[in-house]
Amino acid sequence: MNELIGKLQTERNLSDSELLTVLRTDAFDDALSAAADAVRRRVYGNAVFVRGLIEFTNYCKNDCYYCGIRCSSRSVQRYRLDKDTILACCDEGYALGYRTFVLQGGEDPYFTDERVCAIVSAIRERFPDCAITLSIGEKTRDSYRAFFDAGANRYLLRHETADPAHYAALHPAALSAENRKRCLFDLKEIGYQVGSGFMVGSPFQTAENLVSDLRFLQELDPDMIGIGPFIPAENTPFADKTAGSLTLTLRLLSILRLMFPHVLLPATTALGTIAPDGRERGLRAGANVVMPNLSPADVREKYALYEGKICTGEESAQCRACLETRVRAAGYEIVTDVGNVRRV
Ligand code: SAM
Ligand code: FES
């Protein structure tokens, strides 16, 4: 095996210049994904964890330049799901074998802390054996604490890019890398299992930025790392930018698996959007989580973060069955389990 890949596998680390070498060439890709798959099988066997994703609001007060549901986008038909609808999605998900629900949405001021806590406590009461994950953006430490006390135990917040100048190129001035990172450390301190991550191939991203992302992740030491290709969204400032590449995303998944053997690594919807077999290839490159959509079919198209998003026409049961087949074809098995991290 290549010396660099061997070193990455044994030391779980490389120098910046070595990482740049691996990031900039496709010469190591086969060796990388084989090594990543070996590590993934050692820690998790062939298990793939499923998380039921409920996209409960596409209102957002933020204006991120890349995001299809940014507040300036007038073409988006906005929607919110009420508590009963969210609970009905969880009922359906539970029957399909999901033991983790991920409530994701834009930063919607309608969902005050009180409303979020009421939803979380209702889910906690009805599904005591399930993990509740929130992904609702940047909040104060007190808000995060209130959601935790109401029964939420996981939180997904991608850092997006660790480099402050790159962050400023992707977001309006009201948003900063500093606050995003503050949120992540607050969440960890409160006791959440935290997921972070970034887009691959976002506009202006350099290989050096990616090294900073890996270094930030080493500092944060999250339980989950969500990465997916940037995909342009209509009516956004980045509508004409080029999408991130499948191969670079797969390469990064393998690097992440080798640097963080224990980590929960989703094969994301964005990966499945840029290539029909993107999620299967993601699993073979080291990913061990899939997050099928549990939102009601009539709102799915409206949560259009980017062009061509897959699974918008499917019912939850169809998505579940489709994924079962895909995961098995890739050589793995979906398990019905809360799917906790296995630190090694
Ligand atoms: N508001 C919450 C937050 O900020 O974390 C959750 C929703 S946000 C839309 C979820 C993730 O979608 C972001 O962290 C971002 O990485 C991803 N995303 C947004 N626009 C995207 C695009 N055009 N291509 C790929 N991923 C995108
Ligand atoms: Fe949704 Fe295949 S995973 S239809």
Side-chain angles (χ1 to χ4, degrees), residues 296-314:
D298 62 321
V299 301
R300 288 188 187 193
E301 266 189 21
K302 298 177 190 156
Y303 200 83
L305 302 184
Y306 44 77
E307 272 162 60
K309 187 166 170 242
I310 53 168
C311 303
T312 54
E314 264 55 49

Side-chain angles (χ1 to χ4, degrees), residues 204-274:
F204 321 114
Q205 184 180 66
T206 61
E208 286 79 4
N209 291 151
L210 291 170
V211 172
S212 307
D213 289 325
L214 297 172
R215 297 295 177 222
F216 172 70
L217 290 167
Q218 285 178 315
E219 188 191 340
L220 179 69
D221 191 22
D223 295 299
M224 185 187 243
I225 300 175
I227 65 164
F230 158 76
I231 303 175
E234 276 174 16
N235 301 315
T236 62
F238 292 163
D240 297 326
K241 300 284 186 199
T242 311
S245 95
L246 172 71
T247 45
L248 183 57
T249 310
L250 297 174
R251 192 176 304 153
L252 275 156
L253 282 171
S254 298
I255 293 172
L256 288 167
R257 172 59 64 209
L258 294 172
M259 287 178 80
F260 306 91
H262 62 275
V263 86
L264 297 162
L265 205 53
T268 55
T269 306
L271 193 57
T273 299
I274 51 162

Side-chain angles (χ1 to χ4, degrees), residues 26-275:
D26 57 11
F28 306 123
D29 286 350
D30 289 345
L32 256 182
S33 64
D37 190 52
V39 169
R40 165 269 205 302
R41 284 181 189 272
R42 175 165 58 74
V43 183
Y44 288 100
N46 67 353
V48 170
F49 299 132
V50 276
R51 284 40 172 130
L53 180 65
I54 304 170
E55 297 160 335
F56 71 101
T57 173
N58 69 353
Y59 283 85
C60 192
K61 67 179 171 61
N62 293 336
D63 219 12
C64 308
Y65 302 148
Y66 47 84
C67 186
I69 60 167
R70 66 200 294 265
C71 66
S72 315
S73 181
R74 302 274 164 256
S75 54
V76 177
Q77 256 184 287
R78 304 285 170 176
Y79 74 90
R80 295 185 176 106
L81 303 184
D82 62 19
K83 187 168 79 180
D84 289 342
T85 309
I86 295 171
L87 282 168
C89 293
C90 297
D91 282 336
E92 195 176 354
Y94 195 89
L96 291 169
Y98 299 126
R99 295 296 177 266
T100 297
F101 303 118
V102 182
L103 266 57
Q104 187 177 86
E107 289 193 18
D108 179 356
Y110 170 85
F111 285 102
T112 56
D113 289 3
E114 211 180 342
R115 288 191 168 114
V116 172
C117 287
I119 293 166
V120 170
S121 349
I123 301 175
R124 175 53 60 234
E125 197 175 310
R126 195 180 299 191
F127 305 100
D129 57 332
C130 291
I132 303 175
T133 306
L134 292 177
S135 179
I136 52 175
E138 297 176 31
K139 306 277 174 182
T140 64
R141 190 190 173 93
D142 286 349
S143 301
Y144 288 145
R145 150 83 39 209
F147 307 152
F148 188 80
D149 291 343
N153 39 8
R154 297 180 182 157
Y155 205 101
L156 304 183
L157 185 78
R158 291 181 172 183
H159 66 276
E160 310 296 2
T161 172
D163 181 280
H166 186 217
Y167 198 95
L170 302 180
H171 302 92
L175 299 171
S176 71
E178 192 193 355
N179 194 51
R180 196 94 182 158
K181 291 177 186 172
R182 188 273 305 159
C183 289
L184 284 161
F185 288 107
D186 279 352
L187 287 160
K188 250 196 109 164
E189 264 175 48
I190 290 168
Y192 283 95
Q193 295 167 40
V194 169
S196 192
F198 54 90
M199 286 178 290
V200 178
S202 58
F204 321 114
Q205 184 180 66
T206 61
E208 286 79 4
N209 291 151
L210 291 170
V211 172
S212 307
D213 289 325
L214 297 172
R215 297 295 177 222
F216 172 70
L217 290 167
Q218 285 178 315
E219 188 191 340
L220 179 69
D221 191 22
D223 295 299
M224 185 187 243
I225 300 175
I227 65 164
F230 158 76
I231 303 175
E234 276 174 16
N235 301 315
T236 62
F238 292 163
D240 297 326
K241 300 284 186 199
T242 311
S245 95
L246 172 71
T247 45
L248 183 57
T249 310
L250 297 174
R251 192 176 304 153
L252 275 156
L253 282 171
S254 298
I255 293 172
L256 288 167
R257 172 59 64 209
L258 294 172
M259 287 178 80
F260 306 91
H262 62 275
V263 86
L264 297 162
L265 205 53
T268 55
T269 306
L271 193 57
T273 299
I274 51 162

